[in-house]
Amino acid sequence: MNHLISMRDLTKAEIQQFISTAAKIEKGELQPDLTGRVMGALFFEPSTRTHLSFETAMKRLGGEVISMSGTKGTSVEKGETLADTVKVINQYSDIIVIRHALEGAARYVSEQVTVPVVNAGDGANQHPTQSLLDLYSIYKTQNRLTGLTIALIGDLKYGRTVHSLVHALAHTQPKFYFISPPSLQMPRYIKDELREMKVDFEEGEHVEDVINQLDILYVTRIQRERFADPVDYERVKNAYVISRALLQNVKPNLKVLHPLPRVNEISTDVDQTKYAYYFQQAKNGVFMRQAILSILLGEI
Ligand code: CP
């Protein structure tokens, strides 16, 4: 495995290797050593979790980090192309982690450089490291990945985390419910792929109709930054708010996940319930990103 660009590129065995490696690292059974290695973190779009958990992961493995947050103060402001920027970072680092607004940017970068490239989010397309930590979180909370009933709710059109996650779970015999406003439904090309793979899914607008059947409720933020017209965002921005009251009669094993950041789609009264798992999910990101760095750098 040279790069991590899309969940579509990964085999079941590779996904399993990421999960089992993250678990061993978390339990202290595996301690890869990346001393002397440098990670180039190029975040052209805002990030808190992905950026800082990758930095934490690299430092916990003994490695070093060079970092860019936005383009201010860099030579991108002088007109340097993405290709030239990454060819230079290629000279300074052993692995490149990149987030960029353009769909396909990470794959493009992987074609320009000689070191492994990790996609930390490319526009509304894919966010595979989030999906791997989501899978790890689902596995930890349910003790299995197969045969789960999972609702994905919110912005299913622009949410790259859900696009990656349905690909990641497609091989695990899930029952999916896609809950969204009509204007933010899961893209047709993804639904066509799921139909071809005979994955069971239904679309709807009302989470109340399915909440009591669920093992996982995966909540997403309405992606304001992807809307061409702010008026369209205003129409749907408060489409869903998950509250404690909604969780009255849910299955005892239900876990509420969210890639974060949240705006107001999960009310804070859910945080203290046994169903809330989003902050532990963010913590799992460090173990998974330790696994990703170690595997791509050939230390596992
Ligand atoms: N989940 C996620 O990608 O969060 P950040 O945008 O803060 O990295």
Side-chain angles (χ1 to χ4, degrees), residues 142-160:
Q142 307 294 326
N143 278 320
R144 65 189 168 117
L145 286 175
T146 51
L148 295 170
T149 302
I150 299 171
L152 306 161
I153 178 170
D155 186 347
L156 307 186
K157 178 178 180 182
Y158 296 118
R160 58 192 171 203

Side-chain angles (χ1 to χ4, degrees), residues 24-245:
K24 285 181 194 157
I25 290 172
E26 180 173 6
K27 288 179 195 150
E29 294 169 9
L30 199 59
Q31 290 178 313
D33 182 4
L34 298 186
T35 302
R37 309 291 190 95
V38 175
M39 178 183 82
L42 306 183
F43 281 75
F44 289 81
E45 278 198 317
S47 170
T48 298
R49 274 146 295 276
T50 313
H51 193 165
L52 297 182
S53 64
F54 258 117
E55 290 210 8
T56 305
M58 193 62 180
K59 288 176 180 178
R60 285 198 181 150
L61 295 169
E64 307 283 339
V65 178
I66 56 172
S67 208
M68 228 175 89
S69 294
T71 56
K72 199 164 164 47
T74 76
S75 288
V76 177
E77 289 199 318
K78 302 175 201 162
E80 186 167 51
T81 63
L82 178 59
D84 281 1
T85 299
V86 297
K87 281 176 187 161
V88 171
I89 304 303
N90 189 172
Q91 314 305 317
Y92 306 153
S93 58
D94 301 291
I95 186 164
I96 291 174
V97 177
I98 181 163
R99 172 172 290 188
H100 201 283
L102 287 180
E103 295 182 19
R107 193 167 306 278
Y108 172 74
V109 167
S110 73
E111 291 159 4
Q112 308 301 314
V113 301
T114 55
V115 295
V117 173
V118 178
N119 182 5
D122 59 329
N125 186 30
Q126 286 267 318
H127 194 349
T129 71
Q130 178 70 47
S131 298
L132 288 169
L133 79 88
D134 292 343
L135 288 181
Y136 183 43
S137 299
I138 293 169
Y139 182 73
K140 278 176 70 176
T141 60
Q142 307 294 326
N143 278 320
R144 65 189 168 117
L145 286 175
T146 51
L148 295 170
T149 302
I150 299 171
L152 306 161
I153 178 170
D155 186 347
L156 307 186
K157 178 178 180 182
Y158 296 118
R160 58 192 171 203
T161 61
V162 289
H163 300 165
S164 281
L165 188 58
V166 294
H167 281 120
L169 285 163
H171 297 285
T172 63
Q173 295 89 49
K175 166 76 190 187
F176 283 134
Y177 291 105
F178 298 153
I179 310 291
S180 72
S183 61
L184 295 178
Q185 286 183 348
M186 190 65 80
R188 182 175 295 276
Y189 77 92
I190 293 181
K191 289 186 285 192
D192 287 345
E193 284 171 356
L194 294 177
R195 283 191 193 96
E196 266 177 40
M197 296 171 79
K198 308 232 177 311
V199 174
D200 186 2
F201 70 89
E202 288 179 35
E203 294 184 287
E205 275 190 73
H206 304 293
V207 67
E208 297 81 1
D209 295 345
V210 300
I211 187 84
N212 295 347
Q213 304 169 42
L214 303 178
D215 301 304
I216 296 290
L217 175 61
Y218 193 94
V219 186
T220 64
R221 176 178 65 89
I222 308 292
Q223 308 275 304
R224 185 183 56 190
E225 64 276 27
R226 313 266 178 238
F227 282 71
D229 184 344
V231 175
D232 290 339
Y233 171 72
E234 290 299 318
R235 277 198 199 105
V236 292
K237 69 176 184 185
N238 293 319
Y240 301 105
V241 180
I242 306 301
S243 66
R244 183 190 282 250

